[in-house]
Amino acid sequence: LPHYPTSHVVFTIPKRLRAFFKYNRKLTKHLYTAAWNTWKELIEDTFPDCKSGMIMSIHTAGDLLNFHPHIHALAIYGAVDKSGNFYTLDSVNTDWLNTVFARSLFAALVKEELLDQDALSDADSLKFLARYLKKAPVSNQRLEFLEDLNTVRYIKYTDSGKEHKDFDPLHFLAEVSQHIPNKWEQTIRYMGIYSARTRGAARNAFADTTHAVNAFPRPMRLQRTFIVFPNCQKIQSVFLDPALFFSYKL
């Protein structure tokens, strides 16, 4: 093989997509294609009319032998023009690589009718991120109460199965209580044009414009939420953001 400077690049996919490749191994061709197209687009944008190269290997095992398909690539760190002159990349923007790789792979999965375009919409992505930012410290889907043992069990799902930790009820409440913010403590902060001052100024400046009011909505008010703990006689009344107890499992 020609001797050029190379870079080790790894292309991975999120857990929710791995099942597609586990039960249809022919789909792995899309991983190769998406990885190469991503690197090729980088080279073509940086060095027009030049060519690069890449050696790729697919790995399917994670650290605990779980199914985790990903591409290890040895990529030429630059490009060669038609005269054989080599040009080295100054740097690589990994965020850009992530975006292009995701776009290419998602397009292939849409074409295979495994995903639809609605699932990839910006609105859905924004909802996912917003919910995850304000996700609860405890998920009801991962919580079990073993009455015969008077034990609270909290479950962690992993690629290789699931793990759990058992607590006596008082110990569990003590563990949860450390994640309850103080009354004065802010857990979400809005900065820049998202700040309350900026939105308030814009709302006042364009009070007569419906579009402007909708563009800077007021934050959701807190509401009283009641939480009932198993085998407890009293109902604990607390003020919480309604989004705080949204359960979401990756």
Side-chain angles (χ1 to χ4, degrees):
L1 293 176
H3 182 70
Y4 294 114
T6 56
S7 177
H8 178 210
V9 188
V10 181
F11 297 88
T12 66
I13 60 176
K15 291 181 180 179
R16 72 185 77 180
L17 297 181
R18 296 174 191 172
F20 295 142
F21 298 88
K22 182 176 182 178
Y23 298 106
N24 185 355
R25 302 298 284 269
K26 292 182 179 180
L27 294 176
T28 56
K29 65 183 180 182
H30 296 307
L31 291 177
Y32 287 111
T33 302
W36 170 235
N37 285 343
T38 299
W39 191 258
K40 186 170 66 170
E41 185 170 333
L42 169 68
I43 296 300
E44 290 176 348
D45 288 348
T46 309
F47 305 111
D49 300 323
C50 294
K51 294 184 177 181
S52 186
M54 176 182 282
I55 302 172
M56 293 178 285
S57 173
I58 188 164
H59 293 208
T60 58
D63 292 336
L64 297 176
L65 295 182
N66 52 297
F67 187 77
H68 178 198
H70 54 285
I71 295 288
H72 282 266
L74 195 63
I76 294 178
Y77 200 69
V80 181
D81 64 16
K82 296 179 180 179
S83 300
N85 299 311
F86 180 77
Y87 303 91
T88 305
L89 286 167
D90 291 330
S91 63
V92 174
N93 186 334
T94 55
D95 290 336
W96 184 89
L97 288 181
N98 288 338
T99 301
V100 177
F101 178 68
R103 181 190 68 200
S104 180
L105 184 59
F106 284 157
L109 295 179
V110 168
K111 190 173 182 179
E112 292 281 354
E113 299 183 349
L114 296 172
L115 295 176
D116 55 49
Q117 198 61 43
D118 292 338
L120 307 178
S121 68
D122 291 338
D124 286 343
S125 298
L126 185 60
K127 287 180 181 178
F128 164 74
L129 290 173
R131 288 167 176 168
Y132 193 77
L133 282 176
K134 197 61 175 173
K135 78 182 186 73
V138 177
S139 168
N140 291 334
Q141 295 177 343
R142 297 165 56 187
L143 185 64
E144 293 182 4
F145 182 69
L146 310 178
E147 294 188 20
D148 54 334
L149 300 176
N150 193 34
T151 298
V152 177
R153 174 167 292 176
Y154 201 66
I155 301 169
K156 174 185 177 181
Y157 294 94
T158 65
D159 292 333
S160 56
K162 60 182 181 180
E163 304 171 3
H164 69 268
K165 185 175 182 179
D166 293 339
F167 306 84
D168 64 71
L170 290 179
H171 184 198
F172 176 74
L173 290 177
E175 290 289 332
V176 172
S177 67
Q178 68 180 326
H179 303 295
I180 298 175
N182 294 311
K183 184 177 181 180
W184 49 265
E185 189 176 357
Q186 288 181 292
T187 58
I188 294 290
R189 299 196 178 196
Y190 299 83
M191 311 300 286
I193 63 173
Y194 286 142
S195 68
R197 176 179 295 181
T198 302
R199 288 185 294 156
R203 187 182 294 111
N204 293 334
F206 301 100
D208 297 331
T209 306
T210 303
H211 175 74
V213 173
N214 291 336
F216 298 91
R218 295 182 181 275
M220 182 185 296
R221 292 183 178 274
L222 301 184
Q223 70 181 33
R224 186 178 293 272
T225 304
F226 295 95
I227 305 173
V228 181
F229 294 99
N231 294 345
C232 289
Q233 300 300 320
K234 295 183 179 180
I235 296 178
Q236 306 296 322
S237 177
V238 293
F239 283 100
L240 297 171
D241 186 327
L244 183 62
F245 277 79
F246 177 89
S247 297
Y248 188 86
K249 180 169 70 69
L250 288 176

